[in-house]
């Protein structure tokens, strides 16, 4: 067993490759994932390695990719469907919400749908209103689905492997600006699997808990460095999966720091932060020194022009300001 | 004129029968299943009229195509994806009448979905009947995917999806047939065209005369059959299944189902059950006495099944969150419902 420093997309590819090698039922479906290797290179080389029978280029219809994938899962395979942008998952909403999520429930477990639906999400690459959205909470709201949003290469690999081995449909969301920019140390142990539903303390601290995920994890770490000079010690929780949500880890942190900020690039209104903040308010009220602050994007689409995009996505400076505000309590 | 038309219909049935090579026993089996479905359908309709039951959809007029399709599908190997109008199909596949009444009563003891779905959304792992939702056409894509999986697994299993012509307006229909055509998967797409989607006539749904006119656009083999002629339907579905099973690719088979009005006004020409009965009587394959006896036996079975279902008090079997995820089924379904419902992937893979 060795450990190497690789990029997030390389870690993803490694996870896919290992699971394909481990289980011949694992097949990949998606647009341009074969010889093209996927628009973000997630599946590069896999068709060459495993053959055309394992990596399938699909007609350009996201609903068809997902619907065929659901059928393939019913038919005994372990499909991993790639949709090129999470925004296009919306074209497959009925298949995901009415079918994949409910198949086990409505058939009393006679039928199930072990599919992974992968898609890049989020801002940072100037994709504009229909290539930059954070859709994770739409899916976290649906009973029957699991929703994963890793932030590091190691987590990406461990969580994609866990998702493929999972018996239920998993929406696996990859923050696209991290693919080629975020490097980390990754294990090549074939059974390096991170169970779904477990948050991780990304940085230990004693003053304020920041509950976050995805690209905002790194803004949080940056803010923590800035605030250290002001003698404010941040604890950063990376939830990693939105459904199921690890309330225990959040609770442990908040009951220690007595201050909580939820922080994501999704809209502040009805983002997963609202759910987390409400739960903290209900269950940890007596521990709180101040209000639970939600930090997210303003209620507007994501513009394409990089300077405008920067303006709408929250960052370390915005978080630092919120922390300073909360620290006064 | 009516008699001439009726005679002509019997003549068509005779010609189709001659081409089919059904034995006397097979013929009576098919009639029996169609009749059982018809009587069950009427019994359910009666319960609805009396306010004793809500929900469910009539299969009246659809019996022939559904029963002959069921006969071509191999339980334990093939996959069947019905829609809500497929009562005769699931009866012919072997779903017990008791389960059908539990389903229509919305009972928690219903092995299809334990009261979680509205009536007529069928599911039986044992019979290869894949759970269907209440959303039109989504299952057509699943059929393409299941057939695709069978092809990858080098299985001889075929997959049959059933739907009305209304569902063919959905994008899922297009995506499914397009994909199935590309990969030549072993899928049967059975369109039961009764000419009206809820209230909207076919003329407001599509410009083409027949749904099957679209088959060539997908590179899919198309077949058109008269849903009132059970023998023609049987021959067509046999050919379609053989083609799909032997790697010949998918088939879009459209069965023309008579309108309820036509069936009422000219049952001897349009009603598949009535027409078959007339043919069997005239050709000496069935006597009035045998027919009456069959009806009485079936009626009794239906009555018994309904009463048994009514008395099955199984409230509180499932907690609301059971089977939302794999890790929260709190009860053993098999134990409670006395039906084989376990999901075993190995078994599935070893079917053939």
């Amino acid at each position: 067993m060795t450990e190497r420093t690789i990029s997030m997309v390389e870690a993803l590819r490694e996870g896919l490759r290992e699971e394909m090698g481990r289980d011949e039922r694992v097949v990949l479906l998606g647009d341009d994932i074969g010889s093209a290797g996927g628009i973000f290179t997630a599946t590069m080389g896999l068709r060459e390695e495993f053959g055309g029978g394992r990596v399938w280029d699909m007609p350009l219809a996201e609903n068809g990719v997902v619907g065929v994938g659901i059928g393939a899962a019913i038919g005994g395979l372990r499909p991993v469907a790639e949709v090129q942008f999470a925004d296009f998952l919306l074209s497959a909403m009925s298949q995901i919400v009415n079918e994949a999520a409910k198949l086990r429930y409505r058939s009393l477990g006679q039928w199930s749908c072990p599919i992974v639906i992968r898609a890049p999400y989020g801002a940072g690459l100037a994709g504009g209103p229909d290539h930059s959205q954070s859709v994770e909470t739409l899916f976290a709201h649906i009973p029957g689905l699991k929703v994963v949003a890793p932030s590091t290469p190691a987590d990406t690999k461990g969580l994609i492997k866990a998702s493929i081995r999972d018996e239920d449909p998993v929406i696996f969301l990859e923050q696209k600006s991290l693919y080629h920019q975020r490097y980390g140390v990754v294990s090549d142990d074939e059974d390096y699997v991170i169970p779904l539903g477990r948050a991780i303390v990304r940085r230990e601290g004693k003053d304020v808990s920041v509950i976050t995920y995805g690209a905002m994890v790194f803004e949080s770490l940056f803010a923590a460095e800035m605030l250290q000079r002001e003698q404010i010690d941040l604890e950063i929780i990376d939830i990693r999966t939105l459904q199921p949500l690890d309330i225990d880890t959040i609770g442990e942190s908040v009951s220690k720091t007595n201050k909580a900020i939820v922080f994501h690039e999704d809209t502040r209104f009805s983002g997963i932060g609202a759910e987390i903040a409400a739960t903290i308010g209900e269950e940890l009220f007596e521990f709180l020194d101040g209000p639970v602050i939600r930090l997210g994007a303003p209620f507007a689409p994501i513009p394409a022009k990089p300077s405008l995009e920067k303006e709408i996505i929250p960052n370390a400076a915005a978080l630092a300001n919120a922390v300073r505000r909360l620290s006064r309590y | 004129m009516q008699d001439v038309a009726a005679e002509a219909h019997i003549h068509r049935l005779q010609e189709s029968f001659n081409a089919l090579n059904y034995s006397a026993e097979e013929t009576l089996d098919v009639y029996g299943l169609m009749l059982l479905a018809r009587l069950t359908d009427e019994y359910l309709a009666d319960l609805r009229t009396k306010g004793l039951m809500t929900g469910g959809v009539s299969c009246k007029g659809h019996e022939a195509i559904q029963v002959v399709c069921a006969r071509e599908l191999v339980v334990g190997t093939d996959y069947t994806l019905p829609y809500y109008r497929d009562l005769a199909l699931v009866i012919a596949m072997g779903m017990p009448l008791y389960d059908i009444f539990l389903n229509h009563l919305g009972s928690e003891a219903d092995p299809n979905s334990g009261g979680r779905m509205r009536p007529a959304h069928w599911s039986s792992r044992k019979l290869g009947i894949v759970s269907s939702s209440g959303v039109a056409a989504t299952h057509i894509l699943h059929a393409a995917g299941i057939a695709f999986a069978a092809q990858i697994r080098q299985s001889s299993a075929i997959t049959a999806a059933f739907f009305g012509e209304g569902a063919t307006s959905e994008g899922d229909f297009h995506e499914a047939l397009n994909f199935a055509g590309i990969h030549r998967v072993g899928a049967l797409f059975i369109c039961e065209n009764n000419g009206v989607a809820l209230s909207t006539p076919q003329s407001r749904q599509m410009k083409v005369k027949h749904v099957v006119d679209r088959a060539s656009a997908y590179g899919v083999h198309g077949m058109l059959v008269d849903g009132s002629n059970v023998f023609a339907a049987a021959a067509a579905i046999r050919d379609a299944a053989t083609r799909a099973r032997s790697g010949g690719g998918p088939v879009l088979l459209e069965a023309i189902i008579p309108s309820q009005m036509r069936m009422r006004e000219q049952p001897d020409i349009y009603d598949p059950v009535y027409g078959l009965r007339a043919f069997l009587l005239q050709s000496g394959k069935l006597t009035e006495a045998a027919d009456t006896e069959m009806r009485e036996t079936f009626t009794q079975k239906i009555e018994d099944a309904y009463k048994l279902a009514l008395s099955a008090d199984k409230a509180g079997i499932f907690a609301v969150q059971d089977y939302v995820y794999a890790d929260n089924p709190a009860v053993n379904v098999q134990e409670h419902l006395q039906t084989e419902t376990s999901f075993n992937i190995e078994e599935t893979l070893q079917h053939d």
Side-chain angles (χ1 to χ4, degrees), chain B residues 107-165:
Chain B
S107 169
E108 283 186 54
D110 168 33
N112 287 279
S113 86
R116 291 175 166 204
M117 293 297 287
R118 293 281 296 157
H121 297 88
W122 310 107
S123 176
S124 169
R125 178 99 202 172
K126 200 168 134 195
L127 297 175
I129 296 173
V130 179
S131 163
S132 59
S133 73
V135 182
T138 45
H139 67 302
I140 309 176
L141 266 171
H142 303 165
I146 294 169
F148 183 54
Q151 188 182 65
I152 290 174
R153 286 167 26 215
Q154 297 178 314
S155 153
S156 66
I158 59 171
T159 306
F162 296 78
F163 46 88
E165 88 290 348

Side-chain angles (χ1 to χ4, degrees), chain B residues 5 20 58-59 73 93 138 172 283 294 311 327:
Chain B
L20 187 65
S58 173
C59 72
L73 295 165
M93 293 200 71
T138 45
D172 296 55
S283 59
M294 208 187 270
S311 69
D327 50 9

Side-chain angles (χ1 to χ4, degrees), chain A residues 25 56 58 63-64 67-68 71-72 74-77 95 99 104-112 144-145 167-168, chain B residues 111-113 116 123-125 129 131 133 138 141-142 145-146 148 153 172 175 179 323-326 341 343 345:
Chain A
R25 299 172 303 172
W56 297 89
M58 297 288 286
N63 183 63
V68 165
I74 294 169
L77 300 180
Q95 284 288 352
E99 303 297 335
R104 179 188 298 284
Y105 169 83
R106 71 181 187 224
S107 69
L108 304 175
Q110 292 181 82
W111 301 97
S112 63
L145 298 180
E167 296 298 328
D168 289 307
Chain B
N112 287 279
S113 86
R116 291 175 166 204
S123 176
S124 169
R125 178 99 202 172
I129 296 173
S131 163
S133 73
T138 45
L141 266 171
H142 303 165
I146 294 169
F148 183 54
R153 286 167 26 215
D172 296 55
E175 289 161 2
F179 180 83
Y323 297 109
V324 175
Y325 294 100
T341 56
F343 179 86
I345 200 72

